[in-house]
Amino acid sequence: MTIYEQATAVVSELCEKAKLKKGDIIVVGCSTSEVVGSTIGTNSNVEVAGEIFKALHDYTKSKEVYLAIQCCEHLNRAIIVEREAVPFAEPVNVVPQPKAGGSLATQAYTAFTHPIALEEIKADAGLDIGFTLIGMHLKKVAVPLRLEHHTIGEATVVAARTRPKFIGGARAIYDEEML
């Protein structure tokens, strides 16, 4: 399978298993270095990022789900997202580059119609491609998802969905649709 096909398989499986709906947000962190078989942060690859971004963007756009791309630690893991996904969020001023933000974030900033950078977001689901640590950008209760498709290139992919917190006690009743 090509990188594009692998990324499409991963994001489609995430959307299905997380039961994402129109308007939900997926956060993605990606080390293209890991995808090409190098150590994270050592071999950023714009071409690989382009294939991954195109796959993620094509699929999420078809499902009317928003894509939020996490920058690397050099930009404090800022988020690049379409403005319409977060109309009231307060943007920060930064333009990601392959060596300061990462190749995937650079691709997103270039490809999105109205890109903005945020310090944080609370996404409904996420993909961590190559151990980039996306947890800080998920809603409070993250639930790991075991994917059948769990690699892109040489990188391990970890997925999560979120759910509302349970409140109450022994007598509480929960909505099965929200589990």
Side-chain angles (χ1 to χ4, degrees), residues 45-57:
N45 188 305
V46 175
E47 291 78 26
V48 167
E51 287 299 301
I52 294 169
F53 180 80
K54 183 168 176 23
L56 298 174
H57 193 246

Side-chain angles (χ1 to χ4, degrees), residues 27-178:
V27 64
V28 177
C30 176
S31 168
T32 57
S33 299
E34 291 279 336
V35 172
V36 299
S38 300
T39 302
I40 192 169
T42 63
N43 194 12
S44 189
N45 188 305
V46 175
E47 291 78 26
V48 167
E51 287 299 301
I52 294 169
F53 180 80
K54 183 168 176 23
L56 298 174
H57 193 246
D58 288 351
Y59 190 83
T60 56
K61 198 167 188 149
S62 76
K63 296 297 181 186
E64 300 183 82
V65 170
Y66 290 107
L67 184 59
I69 304 297
Q70 177 180 275
C71 295
C72 70
E73 79 276 8
H74 296 101
L75 297 185
N76 298 323
R77 303 200 193 292
I79 293 292
I80 306 302
V81 65
E82 286 280 12
R83 167 50 101 179
E84 71 180 38
V86 287
F88 304 108
E90 183 178 343
V92 294
N93 188 359
V94 69
V95 177
Q97 304 300 306
K99 299 286 186 185
S103 291
L104 192 64
T106 302
Q107 290 287 333
Y109 198 89
T110 303
F112 284 157
T113 305
H114 299 290
I116 61 167
L118 304 174
E119 283 189 282
E120 63 184 1
I121 198 166
K122 297 298 178 195
D124 302 289
L127 291 172
D128 187 322
I129 305 167
F131 305 108
T132 58
L133 303 176
I134 61 163
M136 66 190 282
H137 294 300
L138 292 170
K139 290 179 179 174
K140 292 262 187 204
V141 183
V143 179
L145 290 175
R146 185 172 296 275
L147 300 180
E148 179 181 326
H149 302 93
H150 56 271
T151 59
I152 297 177
E154 299 298 314
T156 299
V157 177
V158 177
R161 67 175 178 87
T162 62
R163 65 159 175 78
K165 293 178 186 181
F166 293 145
I167 63 167
R171 292 180 277 180
I173 296 173
Y174 301 108
D175 182 341
E176 292 292 320
E177 293 294 315
M178 297 178 76

